[in-house]
Amino acid sequence: MLGWKDDRPLTEVLPGKVAKALTKSFGYSTCGQLLMNHYPRDYIRQGRDFQAFAEREAPEGSFITISGTVTNVSKRPIRNGFVLNVTVDDTYTAVYFNGVWQERVLYPGMRVLFSGKLKFFNSQAQLQHPEFLILDAPRGETSVSKRWGGTLKAISQFVDVEELLREREWLPVYRASSTLKTWTIMAAIHHVLKTLPPIQDPLDISDLTFDKAIREIHEPGPEGPQRAIDRLKYNEALGIGLVMALRRRDTRHWRAFAMPPADDGYRAEMLAKVPFDLTSGQKQVLRDIDRDISEAVPMSRLLQGEVGSGKTLVAVAAMLSAVDAGRQAALLAPTEVLAHQHARSISAMLPDDIRLTVLSGSMKTAEKRQALLDIVSGEADIVVGTHAIIQQTVEFYSLGLVVVDEQHRFGVEQRDTLRMKAPEGTFPHVLVMTATPIPRTIAMTVFGDLEVSSLHELPGGRKPIQSSVLPEAKASWVRRGWERIREEVDAGRQAYVVCPRIEGEGGVLELAEALEEGPLEGLRIMVLHGRMDDKDDRMAAFARGEVDVLISTTVIEVGVDVPNATVILIRESENFGVSQLHQLRGRVGRGGNASLCLFHTLAAPNSPSFERISKIAATSSGFELTELDMEYRREGDVLGTRQSGRQRTLQLLDLSQDLMIIERAYEDAYVLVDEDPELAFELTVEIREEEQEYLDKS
Ligand code: ADP
Ligand code: MG
């Protein structure tokens, strides 16, 4: 990576069988792939390992590798033979049924590396039939004794096992497969490194050379692998930093329309009509935006704000600035339902002369043709639709601003496609809004040089939402949940019930039927799900208060705004992600009334799922939840563009933890691009190819 690769075919360097197994198990064909894509997933420190793994509390069934000294070997007869118990460090036992050759080989005093599945038997840690590798044998047999056969023999054919293990305090543990043990991979990598000439570092910007780092991460010296890990993390961050810096260099000469806010235009008219005072956060964000769009340089601003913090108003004000300046504005929503909902609530705020056009995939052909015509002729001042607007061949008359709602995955690549939408030689200003707060590192990575504004406070008089968990096992709690919905409806309020599926057990259709005849009998119930054609009409009816309880899938996940809804009950919450649950909860608490969110779950108390849901229930801050979220999924998901299964640019870098490394690398990247753009371009060829590949596939 970054200008270096090792293209030697594995088959040239390793025994054919090992090379083949590496290809079959992991898809690697070159040495470089093995070295760079197969970093150790863990390390064991000789002599201290059992403790380390006990501290990590490996769950039963996990595959672990540990080393230690054999302290006892005993044999116990059973019906069809015997059980060999090999006690290690007086703490755990390797168990072999009819372990005839193991009995011959293993004796007290040996240091051995075991690898196998963890079991707890009478709360004793056991490995059943683990593979093993002898590290040190006091009676002097070498660990390469041919008679032991199997894996060891295979390894000893191409590396000196003594050399591999001698005086090594840290041993790498690799992701293994059924045909490749972790130590076979260790041996293969050892051999690949041994035959690798010193790597010339194309960049000399760190105290540890790249050559040292790649060797040390696989084969740490006594000081351990951390230094090498940090160095390689830096490399990964630098790669992304260079791509971003190059991109910014590219965009520096892009031009946008300058749209300074007018004192007496439509925007002023709209703001004067708003029936409440803007929060100080809203005022600040508007000042940020005004400053940006007054310039002829395209704005790239991310607006983060808790659910219900009033982002829409800010967006409308910005869009009217565009209209005041004689341009068009577009608002992109993540779903059709939301697009219509936005169109409705925004229309209500707009001055009479402003023409709002909705563009939606479900429109009839004639309607759509008219909408497209309005957009290209400039009749339409504000266009509301889904993200499809930027993919389709929609032409604008004079697009000045694009607002992207609830889409924290709207990354740099998508932004680039907007360039095509603005008139010749210009680029629209872009405002991305999200209620899912993005850690700064991720914002930097996905959005590059995006500026960030935040809305922290909720507008006047909002009461925080109360959350509770309703475990299925507690029937009375579940019953109480339905009663609460009834009470809210009796008080004139409305309720959401969200199901994880449409059909089948626990689905929208089934539950609606059960509720109509059971706990919610007599209430006005309506179902809503993604396969319906009249979603929008149904949502509108709910918003008008013609329905008491809306039973739906997650089509209501983001942005739907019905202030009179005060309770939401989410069925089988364990099926949803952290940010999804937070979003769903945000559907209530939008008016001045106290609101309630009930997380129903089938998960057993004390299970990880149950704990996750309890944590969400206990936390109302989106910022804290993002951190929680990061614990549950790899940043690959958050990034959206770096999917598993393909080669990942980010192997080591943890976007939620490595802020310092990332900042340093990004600074260096900008300097490098400034000083030597050609070199930066060359170094990142592969990263950009990878990105392109991803885009082509998606
Ligand atoms: P979100 O940030 O989740 O998109 P919205 O923009 O939908 O939030 O705003 C939520 C609700 O708060 C809307 O009903 C909106 O009219 C209302 N609202 C927005 N700003 C204010 C304010 N300054 N004072 C009172 N209510 C406000
Ligand atoms: Mg919103």
Side-chain angles (χ1 to χ4, degrees):
M1 110 180 285
L2 283 195
W4 175 78
K5 48 185 177 181
D6 182 353
D7 274 338
R8 291 177 295 161
L10 287 172
T11 44
E12 254 172 41
V13 182
L14 299 171
K17 229 175 124 189
V18 177
K20 241 190 231 136
L22 283 167
T23 307
K24 191 145 178 256
S25 298
F26 307 112
Y28 307 146
S29 53
T30 67
C31 290
Q33 287 170 340
L34 178 63
L35 288 180
M36 308 279 310
N37 293 354
H38 218 82
Y39 293 137
R41 68 173 169 79
D42 204 352
Y43 297 88
I44 51 179
R45 259 183 112 166
Q46 302 217 51
R48 309 174 199 188
D49 325 298
F50 182 72
Q51 217 171 335
F53 113 78
E55 273 162 17
R56 266 177 268 150
E57 282 172 19
E60 178 148 309
S62 51
F63 199 81
I64 60 168
T65 300
I66 38 190
S67 81
T69 304
V70 175
T71 44
N72 187 40
V73 179
S74 68
K75 220 169 128 173
R76 184 166 55 84
I78 53 168
R79 204 173 326 136
N80 306 319
F82 68 95
V83 176
L84 186 74
N85 282 310
V86 181
T87 313
V88 182
D89 290 341
D90 291 321
T91 356
Y92 68 101
T93 317
V95 182
Y96 297 95
F97 297 97
N98 292 329
V100 177
W101 72 266
Q102 288 91 345
E103 185 192 7
R104 244 182 279 141
V105 171
L106 295 167
Y107 59 84
M110 271 182 163
R111 295 189 39 72
V112 185
L113 193 60
F114 289 97
S115 188
K117 254 202 190 143
L118 179 67
K119 284 247 159 128
F120 287 99
F121 189 73
N122 291 337
S123 69
Q124 272 294 112
Q126 275 194 355
L127 295 182
Q128 292 189 349
H129 273 264
E131 301 256 345
F132 65 91
L133 180 67
I134 293 167
L135 301 173
D136 185 31
R139 285 184 209 156
E141 295 99 323
T142 66
S143 48
V144 275
S145 173
K146 295 284 188 291
R147 117 191 111 100
W148 298 339
T151 316
L152 264 188
K153 197 157 145 198
I155 297 177
S156 64
Q157 282 171 353
F158 71 101
V159 293
D160 180 346
V161 178
E162 279 292 330
E163 178 195 295
L164 181 64
L165 301 173
R166 200 188 313 127
E167 285 171 22
R168 282 240 250 148
E169 191 177 335
W170 297 78
L171 291 178
V173 178
Y174 290 102
R175 189 155 53 88
S177 74
S178 56
T179 48
L180 283 167
K181 305 292 164 233
T182 170
W183 40 73
T184 311
I185 298 170
M186 172 164 72
I189 287 178
H190 176 73
H191 190 63
V192 166
L193 285 173
K194 223 180 130 184
T195 53
L196 173 71
I199 301 167
Q200 294 304 322
D201 215 332
L203 292 170
D204 183 22
I205 37 184
S206 175
D207 29 353
L208 188 68
T209 64
F210 181 73
D211 181 70
K212 269 228 175 71
I214 195 78
R215 292 176 199 273
E216 265 183 31
I217 194 169
H218 289 291
E219 307 192 323
E223 70 286 355
Q226 199 53 49
R227 203 166 67 130
I229 292 174
D230 286 349
R231 171 66 175 87
L232 293 173
K233 279 181 175 177
Y234 170 85
N235 239 55
E236 293 182 0
L238 186 68
I240 304 172
L242 286 174
V243 171
M244 273 166 21
L246 283 168
R247 203 175 260 142
R248 180 153 89 176
R249 206 182 126 82
D250 242 22
T251 57
R252 229 176 5 207
H253 44 259
W254 290 0
R255 283 290 163 260
F257 296 120
M259 312 190 299
D263 288 338
D264 53 356
Y266 291 118
R267 165 188 152 129
E269 189 183 335
M270 187 277 293
L271 287 176
K273 262 198 341 200
V274 180
F276 40 67
D277 293 330
L278 301 202
T279 64
S280 59
Q282 284 171 320
K283 286 184 195 153
Q284 179 57 48
V285 173
L286 271 179
R287 275 196 296 272
D288 291 345
I289 295 173
D290 288 347
R291 187 168 13 86
D292 287 356
I293 64 178
S294 304
E295 304 286 327
V297 179
M299 168 176 78
S300 310
R301 187 167 285 279
L302 174 68
L303 171 54
Q304 299 190 153
E306 290 278 357
V307 170
S309 58
K311 295 185 289 294
T312 315
L313 177 75
V314 171
V316 173
M319 291 196 289
L320 287 176
S321 287
V323 178
D324 283 337
R327 308 293 168 191
Q328 293 169 296
L331 175 74
L332 312 187
T335 66
E336 294 252 324
V337 168
L338 258 186
H340 286 283
Q341 148 114 26
H342 264 314
R344 259 197 314 277
S345 52
I346 290 173
S347 293
M349 303 165 75
L350 291 178
D352 293 339
D353 296 348
I354 300 292
R355 177 82 182 271
L356 181 145
T357 299
V358 183
L359 189 63
S360 126
S362 59
M363 278 176 149
K364 291 190 197 72
T365 319
E367 253 181 325
K368 197 166 183 177
R369 193 177 305 131
Q370 186 57 50
L372 290 171
L373 206 62
D374 290 349
I375 296 169
V376 72
S377 67
E379 275 289 295
D381 298 309
I382 293 179
V383 182
V384 178
T386 63
H387 295 116
I389 290 184
I390 60 159
Q391 274 124 35
Q392 292 167 355
T393 48
V394 180
E395 266 185 68
F396 286 83
Y397 173 67
S398 182
L399 184 60
L401 169 74
V402 176
V403 179
V404 183
D405 191 30
E406 298 297 358
Q407 177 63 312
H408 56 286
R409 295 195 179 168
F410 191 86
V412 189
E413 296 92 344
Q414 288 97 322
R415 260 201 292 153
D416 284 359
T417 61
L418 288 175
R419 193 169 11 168
M420 268 87 84
K421 298 297 169 197
E424 201 87 359
T426 68
F427 193 91
H429 297 284
V430 177
L431 177 68
V432 179
M433 308 198 295
T434 176
T436 307
I438 303 168
R440 220 162 78 73
T441 43
I442 295 194
M444 282 159 76
T445 307
V446 184
F447 299 108
D449 50 335
L450 211 67
E451 307 276 344
V452 180
S453 301
S454 299
L455 289 174
H456 289 289
E457 58 191 317
L458 296 183
R462 291 291 172 70
K463 304 205 175 63
I465 304 161
Q466 261 203 23
S467 303
S468 311
V469 181
L470 306 181
E472 173 74 9
K474 305 220 172 181
S476 63
W477 296 21
V478 176
R479 256 198 322 275
R480 180 75 190 122
W482 300 126
E483 270 169 37
R484 286 293 291 123
I485 288 183
R486 197 175 263 286
E487 285 167 18
E488 288 299 309
V489 172
D490 286 346
R493 315 271 169 247
Q494 291 163 279
Y496 297 102
V497 177
V498 180
C499 300
R501 61 195 78 88
I502 301 174
E503 275 157 353
E505 208 179 324
V508 169
L509 303 178
E510 193 202 77
L511 188 71
E513 226 179 277
L515 291 177
E516 267 166 357
E517 291 160 10
L520 302 186
E521 199 188 334
L523 305 191
R524 294 173 299 172
I525 291 178
M526 188 174 67
V527 298
L528 177 70
H529 59 73
R531 291 216 301 263
M532 292 177 147
D533 289 333
D534 57 347
K535 288 191 285 289
D536 186 43
D537 296 340
R538 285 172 180 251
M539 202 54 233
F542 184 70
R544 285 194 303 268
E546 293 161 11
V547 171
D548 298 320
V549 184
L550 185 71
I551 303 178
S552 75
T553 53
T554 53
V555 288
I556 60 149
E557 185 184 332
V558 279
V560 166
D561 184 23
V562 180
N564 193 44
T566 50
V567 52
I568 181 165
L569 192 153
I570 302 162
R571 297 282 300 176
E572 302 176 39
S573 315
E574 65 276 13
N575 288 294
F576 303 104
V578 175
S579 60
Q580 217 176 0
L581 290 173
H582 184 54
Q583 274 289 353
L584 286 169
R585 173 165 56 190
R587 293 319 100 214
V588 296
R590 305 179 76 82
N593 302 298
S595 293
L596 186 64
C597 176
L598 302 169
F599 296 107
H600 165 264
T601 177
L602 301 179
N606 296 329
S607 66
S609 297
F610 192 88
E611 257 166 46
R612 185 171 64 101
I613 295 163
S614 306
K615 273 192 197 162
I616 299 166
T619 315
S620 58
S621 145
F623 285 83
E624 274 172 49
L625 283 172
T626 304
E627 269 157 34
L628 189 62
D629 199 17
M630 296 285 287
E631 290 173 27
Y632 289 112
R633 46 183 191 163
R634 288 290 301 166
E635 61 278 4
D637 291 336
V638 182
L639 278 171
T641 58
R642 307 196 200 282
Q643 305 294 337
S644 58
R646 54 192 284 280
Q647 188 180 339
R648 287 169 41 127
T649 306
L650 300 184
Q651 300 268 346
L652 297 166
L653 199 65
D654 180 341
L655 295 173
S656 66
Q657 303 290 331
D658 297 323
L659 185 62
M660 303 257 286
I661 294 177
I662 293 173
E663 282 184 338
R664 189 162 58 90
Y666 285 10
E667 266 171 39
D668 292 347
Y670 278 100
V671 172
L672 186 82
V673 165
D674 237 23
E675 286 173 356
D676 195 345
E678 282 78 29
L679 176 62
F681 194 81
E682 261 166 52
L683 291 178
T684 52
V685 168
E686 271 185 53
I687 301 178
R688 276 176 290 112
E689 269 170 9
E690 227 176 82
E691 234 171 10
Q692 196 51 50
E693 228 172 79
Y694 170 77
L695 281 179
D696 291 346
K697 266 186 217 144
S698 58

